[in-house]
């Protein structure tokens, strides 16, 4: 037993999950979740401003090939895998100081934004993006552990859904702000990077002032070790979740490639490119809470795998000869539904079999496998696009997604359906 709950009258189960006392109702979504959601909303405005213009800036502005862009995109989306375990372990080993580890990660990412103003070639841009993703890797597991620890097991899907909805509201605003800046300024990219830095600093301030610190009611009786964190994979349910998330990540084409494919299929002008992520964000925002509640009631694994089914349909539409006006709306709606059904739902499912003292480390294990897989997918997809064209690359991703999806259905982890 790693922990004991210090809140008087609050029983803790054998796996470390805190249960509310009989006869008392706890709010499904507590103030910690709402405060973290606000931090994520502000921070995502900053990060998505950069993400929205980065593909066009690198490919059209700096003339990178699809392979070069795939390398940088893999760094941007997968480098955080290297440090997610570090962030999770530091938060757990510090006795539950999740807020401060997460805050350090947010600060590192904020400081990287102005460096994009002076990076104009592949190597320095890669280093800046790697540092930015290091910050993201440090903060993600501690933040998700705080959400998990502050929510009841029966409502974790809803709690993660509310957080992801607020996070996605920022993702919705970020590309819009970037679009307006590009249209209103002469040096549009530099202005986007500058404003992004200012907004990121505001997110760190909100975290420091409004997210509760301390240990969150958790008293550590033994200092968690790194060996103990990795040993969580001996738990069959968590191991299956981690393996399935890794395999499905290998077939998940990154957002930037999806937007580039849409632009090429429809001939979207460069000035409108930054608006494409709005479709994904809007769908994610609308569906995050409903699908989180559905996951709590009907089963988290079914919703998680079903989300990848929606992504497969989006791939299929991009491969068809259909060029109708509705194509971008349908593809982006399916893309957002995929994230709403998988992002927070996966963390809610993984939380079930992890004790409180190792909650951050356990979630980091799952996130690490998924991030490494998506890093590999970006490299492979960029290489395939360069060698054989975008259509062949997408066909390969769709076939891989079918195979990995079937495997995930067959080995459905126990505990993915709430008791």
């Amino acid at each position: 037993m790693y922990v004991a709950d210090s809140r008087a009258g609050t029983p803790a189960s054998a796996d470390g999950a805190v249960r509310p006392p009989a006869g008392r109702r706890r709010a499904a979504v507590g103030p910690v979740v709402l405060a973290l959601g606000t931090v994520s909303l502000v921070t995502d405005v900053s990060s998505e401003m950069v993400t929205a213009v980065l593909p066009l800036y690198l490919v059209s502005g700096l003339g990178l090939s699809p392979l070069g862009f795939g390398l940088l995109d893999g760094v941007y989306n997968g480098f955080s895998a290297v440090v997610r375990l570090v962030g999770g372990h530091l938060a757990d080993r510090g006795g539950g100081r999740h807020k401060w580890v997460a805050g350090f990660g947010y600060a590192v990412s904020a400081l990287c934004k102005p460096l994009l103003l002076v990076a104009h070639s592949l190597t320095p841009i890669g280093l800046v993006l790697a540092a930015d993703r290091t910050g993201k890797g440090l903060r993600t597991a501690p933040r998700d552990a705080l959400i998990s620890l502050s929510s009841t097991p029966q409502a974790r899907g809803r709690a993660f859904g509310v957080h992801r909805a607020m996070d996605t509201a920022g993702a919705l605003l970020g590309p819009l702000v970037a679009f307006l800046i590009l249209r209103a300024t002469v040096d549009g990219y530099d202005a986007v990077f500058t404003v992004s830095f200012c907004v990121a600093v505001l997110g760190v301030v909100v975290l420091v002032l409004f997210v509760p610190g301390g240990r969150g009611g958790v008293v550590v009786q033994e200092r968690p070790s790194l060996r103990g964190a990795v040993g969580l994979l001996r738990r069959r349910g968590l191991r299956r979740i981690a393996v399935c998330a890794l395999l499905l990540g290998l077939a998940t084409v990154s957002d930037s490639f999806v937007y580039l494919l849409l632009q090429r299929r429809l001939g979207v002008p460069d000035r409108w490119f930054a608006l494409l992520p709005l479709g994904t964000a809007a769908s994610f925002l609308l569906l995050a809470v409903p699908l989180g509640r559905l996951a709590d009631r009907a089963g988290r694994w079914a919703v998680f795998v079903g989300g990848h089914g929606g992504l497969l349909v989006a791939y299929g539409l991009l491969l068809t000869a259909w060029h109708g006006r509705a194509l971008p709306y349908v593809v982006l709606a399916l893309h957002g539904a995929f994230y709403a059904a998988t992002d927070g739902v996966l963390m809610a499912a993984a939380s079930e079999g992890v004790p409180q003292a190792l909650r951050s480390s356990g979630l980091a294990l799952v996130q690490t496998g998924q991030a490494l897989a998506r890093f590999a997918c970006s490299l492979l997809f960029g290489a395939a696009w360069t060698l054989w064209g975008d259509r062949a690359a997408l066909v390969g991703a769709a076939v891989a997604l079918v195979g990995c999806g079937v495997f995930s259905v067959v080995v459905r982890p126990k505990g993915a359906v709430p008791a």
Side-chain angles (χ1 to χ4, degrees), residues 75-88:
V75 168
Y76 191 70
N77 291 291
F79 192 84
S80 60
V82 179
V83 293
R84 289 193 188 210
L85 282 175
V86 175

Side-chain angles (χ1 to χ4, degrees), residues 199-402:
V199 177
V201 171
L202 177 61
V204 176
V205 172
V206 173
L207 175 76
V208 172
L209 295 180
F210 297 104
V211 175
R215 305 169 188 268
V218 177
V219 178
V220 178
Q221 296 175 343
E222 298 179 32
R223 296 192 72 185
S225 65
L226 189 59
R227 177 179 298 180
V230 176
L232 290 171
L233 290 177
R234 289 195 293 268
R235 297 170 178 249
R236 188 179 182 184
L238 185 64
R239 183 172 66 250
R240 287 188 174 189
I241 289 175
V243 170
C244 291
L246 185 151
L247 291 176
L248 289 166
L250 286 172
T252 302
V253 177
S254 76
D255 300 358
S256 298
F257 276 126
V258 171
Y259 304 143
L260 286 172
L261 287 167
L262 268 177
Q263 186 200 31
R264 295 199 171 204
R265 280 286 308 274
L266 302 174
V268 177
D270 289 354
R271 66 180 181 276
W272 299 107
F273 182 85
L275 292 181
L276 291 178
L278 293 179
T280 297
S283 177
F284 193 170
L285 176 63
L286 292 174
L287 295 175
V289 176
L291 289 179
R293 295 180 65 181
L294 178 64
D296 286 335
R297 295 177 180 179
R300 289 160 188 159
W301 200 244
V303 173
F304 177 74
V305 176
H308 287 85
L311 182 64
L312 181 63
V313 175
Y315 289 176
L317 291 174
L318 287 171
L319 289 169
T320 64
W322 181 34
H323 287 77
R325 290 186 177 182
L327 177 63
Y329 301 102
V330 176
V331 169
L332 294 175
L334 289 168
H335 198 225
F338 157 71
Y339 280 113
T342 58
D343 192 4
V345 172
L346 177 63
M347 293 297 96
S351 296
E352 296 303 318
V354 183
Q356 282 188 343
L358 291 172
R359 185 67 52 83
S360 185
S361 300
L363 298 184
L365 285 171
V366 178
Q367 293 167 355
T368 295
Q370 188 180 58
L372 285 173
R374 290 182 177 179
F375 172 78
C377 183
S378 286
L379 294 181
L380 293 173
F381 191 86
W385 186 335
T386 301
L387 295 174
W388 303 303
D390 55 351
R391 184 178 179 83
L394 191 57
V395 168
V399 172
L401 185 58
V402 170

